[in-house]
Amino acid sequence: MEIDFECFADSFKNGIIYIPNTLKLVFIPLALGLILGTLLAYIRFKKVKIASQIITGFVTIYRGVPIVVALLIYNMIFLLFYGTWQNFFHWKTSIKDINIIWIAIFAMTMGQVCAMEEVMRSSLLSIDKGQWEAGKSIGMKEYQIVFKVIIPQLIPAALPHLTNLILGCIKNSSVVVAIGVVDVMVGCTKPAETTYMFFEAYLAAALIYWIINIFVETALRKYEKYTKKFRKEIG
């Protein structure tokens, strides 16, 4: 089987155009997931009555739902109920004027919140309880202990898991094609709609995702190595 490098190049160039969309689908959910997931993890770690049980049940159930299924459900809810919401809230924006990428971002965010919650909770459990007691012994308030003592140790402890989570999110972002969101994958396959050179298009998409993953992983691994060195020096 011969590869048509001209078609491969066309697909690669077209896919690059949509890298910003893919980055939105990755880093907005990751940022929101990190914030909300850490908050939920803290609630579970502190074993807040009722709230921790609700969070545990939600995370357990939601993590069992494939991202593509959740994506399709949210898209159907949006299409079926937007008209009702528009009339109730007197929105002037038509459904045609809304970029469906935000539906995909919402679906990806929900998945990342649950994943981040598990990662952050396990990292919180790995921190010595003496750190909390030491903070209280010198008169620090709860929020001061969290932000000045716990979080600086939490992120380095969670980094190996976060790295894998981020790389997985980059690869999983391609599922948004299920609801028609244009990302790198769709961008690469557009030229193939006329040339029928889909193999070259998929190779181009794979190369772009690989480059993004290599760049992100290299940066995260270097930062992880830096934090380990710093922690050794402090110890």
Side-chain angles (χ1 to χ4, degrees):
M1 180 179 178
E2 293 184 1
I3 296 175
D4 190 321
F5 287 100
E6 185 176 348
C7 291
F8 173 83
D10 289 341
S11 292
F12 186 82
K13 291 175 184 177
N14 204 62
I16 288 175
I17 296 173
Y18 297 100
I19 286 179
N21 276 4
T22 293
L23 295 181
K24 284 181 185 177
L25 290 164
V26 172
F27 291 105
I28 293 178
L30 283 172
L32 294 175
L34 181 62
I35 296 169
L36 297 176
T38 302
L39 178 61
L40 296 183
Y42 181 74
I43 293 172
R44 283 187 69 186
F45 175 75
K46 284 295 183 178
K47 297 180 180 178
V48 178
K49 290 183 179 180
I50 301 176
S52 61
Q53 295 173 344
I54 292 173
I55 293 169
T56 300
F58 171 76
V59 171
T60 301
I61 294 171
Y62 199 91
R63 291 197 72 186
V65 179
I67 180 62
V68 68
V69 175
L71 187 65
L72 291 170
I73 290 173
Y74 292 135
N75 188 53
M76 288 299 297
I77 290 173
F78 173 74
L79 294 174
L80 291 172
F81 295 103
Y82 183 80
T84 304
W85 300 333
Q86 184 181 24
N87 293 331
F88 183 80
F89 292 106
H90 304 290
W91 292 336
K92 295 181 180 179
T93 306
S94 170
I95 192 172
K96 295 179 180 179
D97 298 325
I98 296 177
N99 192 338
I100 58 173
I101 193 175
W102 294 108
I103 300 173
I105 287 174
F106 177 79
M108 299 286 285
T109 298
M110 293 297 290
Q112 290 306 311
V113 167
C114 294
M116 288 287 187
E117 190 278 334
E118 289 291 302
V119 169
M120 289 305 178
R121 188 172 66 89
S122 64
S123 298
L124 278 170
L125 291 170
S126 70
I127 296 175
D128 190 351
K129 291 182 179 179
Q131 300 288 332
W132 298 87
E133 295 170 0
K136 290 178 181 178
S137 68
I138 60 174
M140 294 179 72
K141 295 181 179 179
E142 183 78 9
Y143 74 90
Q144 291 177 317
I145 297 174
V146 170
F147 286 100
K148 294 184 179 181
V149 179
I150 302 303
I151 289 182
Q153 299 177 69
L154 182 66
I155 300 300
L159 260 179
H161 301 292
L162 288 176
T163 299
N164 293 330
L165 200 62
I166 293 169
L167 297 178
C169 187
I170 293 172
K171 291 181 284 187
N172 291 336
S173 66
S174 61
V175 301
V176 298
V177 67
I179 63 171
V181 176
V182 180
D183 67 337
V184 166
M185 175 62 100
V186 176
C188 287
T189 55
K190 274 188 174 182
E193 292 175 2
T194 54
T195 62
Y196 299 103
M197 296 293 185
F198 285 98
F199 181 70
E200 285 79 359
Y202 294 142
L203 281 179
L207 179 60
I208 293 174
Y209 282 115
W210 181 76
I211 291 171
I212 295 173
N213 269 317
I214 287 296
F215 178 79
V216 172
E217 184 176 13
T218 300
L220 290 173
R221 295 299 182 195
K222 284 185 177 180
Y223 183 66
E224 183 182 338
K225 186 177 180 181
Y226 167 76
T227 56
K228 282 182 179 179
K229 179 181 177 182
F230 179 75
R231 290 169 70 185
K232 286 180 181 178
E233 288 176 354
I234 292 298

